[in-house]
Amino acid sequence: MSKLPASSLVNDYTKYPVKKLLKGKIGIYVLYENDKIYYVGKGIIYNELRNYYLHGKHKNNWDSFSFAELKQSRYKEELEDLLISIIHPPGNVKEEKKVKRDRKVEDQIKKIIELVKPDIPQFHEQQYSITKRIKGKHFTHKKAENLILQILSQNKKPLTRKNIVNRVYNRIRGQLKPVDKKHLKNGRPRWENIVRWEVTGMNMRKLITSTRHNDWVLSKKGKKRAKQG
């Protein structure tokens, strides 16, 4: 689940829907402070979030959260340790552990990491990497971000995700390498997967925003970034 405001746990209009959404779910949750990851935790999600919002040492240190329910909750401790070892959240400073590689745990965390990946520049840079590194020239997330900024800044009307994908393709089709064209398990070529994830990531980074029709436009922050090139 993408980020929700912490106040939704106690707001009279949202607390009951949020409780219904979270009740009984076990998994991993991430607390944010000003869009930066502050704390990663595990357990019964609703109980943990309510406790941290109203009581304890983390009270007033976070303003939004995201979560991932685990179907195989026996992996929650390993997943929590692995996320902490990748992100190094300030709220988990005393909880970091050396994590041993485990293929089953890595397969589980691939889904969870997408919730927070846009906020973790070190995700691909540090020693521990969940995704396979690609050698040589290839289409990157940074390139996708720059192209999306250009396309939206040059277009007067909002664009759907599909429109964005098509316009990016028109600009890069002559530059794509074999590795970019390789189809992934979801059936899409790697370059398209990158573009689609960047739309989600740029929304989380507040570079773009969605209209009521779920079309995308640049935010104030995005317009400033686009002008900077």
Side-chain angles (χ1 to χ4, degrees):
M1 172 63 70
S2 296
K3 282 187 285 187
L4 295 174
S7 58
S8 65
L9 294 162
V10 294
N11 184 286
D12 288 340
Y13 294 100
T14 59
K15 63 182 180 181
Y16 295 112
V18 169
K19 182 177 181 179
K20 184 177 180 180
L21 173 69
L22 296 173
K23 189 175 181 181
K25 287 182 169 60
I26 297 175
I28 301 293
Y29 57 90
V30 179
L31 309 183
Y32 302 83
E33 181 182 22
N34 297 325
D35 295 324
K36 299 295 182 182
I37 296 172
Y38 166 74
Y39 184 83
V40 174
K42 66 179 184 303
I44 301 175
I45 298 170
Y46 180 73
N47 294 355
E48 295 271 314
L49 291 172
R50 281 273 302 183
N51 180 59
Y52 283 140
Y53 186 75
L54 298 172
H55 313 287
K57 63 180 180 180
H58 299 302
K59 182 181 178 182
N60 300 324
N61 287 330
W62 56 286
D63 52 36
S64 59
F65 66 91
S66 60
F67 68 90
E69 181 184 11
L70 298 180
K71 299 300 182 182
Q72 300 183 51
S73 60
R74 65 179 179 273
Y75 291 128
K76 63 181 183 296
E77 291 187 7
E78 290 91 341
L79 290 171
E80 179 196 36
D81 291 342
L82 185 52
L83 280 168
I84 291 171
S85 74
I86 295 171
I87 306 168
H88 309 296
N92 295 97
V93 170
K94 296 182 179 179
E95 301 175 26
E96 290 204 24
K97 303 175 183 177
K98 291 185 178 180
V99 181
K100 294 182 179 180
R101 299 186 72 97
D102 185 311
R103 179 57 59 83
K104 291 182 179 179
V105 173
E106 289 181 21
D107 289 341
Q108 289 282 317
I109 206 171
K110 284 179 182 178
K111 299 176 183 177
I112 296 175
I113 199 67
E114 296 300 344
L115 291 170
V116 297
K117 187 171 66 174
D119 296 314
I120 313 173
Q122 68 269 39
F123 180 64
H124 296 291
E125 299 170 3
Q126 293 192 348
Q127 296 179 356
Y128 203 107
S129 177
I130 304 302
T131 56
K132 186 178 180 180
R133 292 176 183 269
I134 301 173
K135 296 181 179 179
K137 293 184 177 180
H138 61 280
F139 185 64
T140 64
H141 283 270
K142 186 63 179 177
K143 179 69 173 177
E145 178 187 289
N146 290 336
L147 285 173
I148 293 170
L149 287 172
Q150 292 174 22
I151 289 167
L152 290 179
S153 66
Q154 295 167 3
N155 202 73
K156 295 182 180 180
K157 295 182 179 180
L159 296 176
T160 65
R161 193 182 299 250
K162 186 176 181 180
N163 290 151
I164 293 172
V165 169
N166 290 338
R167 294 190 183 211
V168 169
Y169 178 69
N170 288 336
R171 297 193 181 201
I172 65 171
R173 57 186 174 183
Q175 307 167 24
L176 293 173
K177 306 298 180 183
V179 68
D180 300 319
K181 299 177 183 178
K182 182 178 179 181
H183 282 69
L184 305 179
K185 291 182 179 180
N186 59 16
R188 297 192 185 105
R190 186 184 299 277
W191 72 265
E192 181 179 346
N193 213 54
I194 288 174
V195 175
R196 288 179 175 274
W197 272 119
E198 270 310 300
V199 172
T200 299
M202 291 172 70
N203 179 42
M204 293 180 69
R205 298 194 294 278
K206 301 186 184 303
L207 293 173
I208 61 176
T209 185
S210 177
T211 68
R212 63 178 180 173
H213 300 296
N214 201 32
D215 295 344
W216 299 96
V217 296
L218 290 179
S219 64
K220 289 183 178 180
K221 182 179 178 181
K223 290 177 181 178
K224 184 177 180 181
R225 180 74 65 83
K227 288 181 179 179
Q228 294 173 345

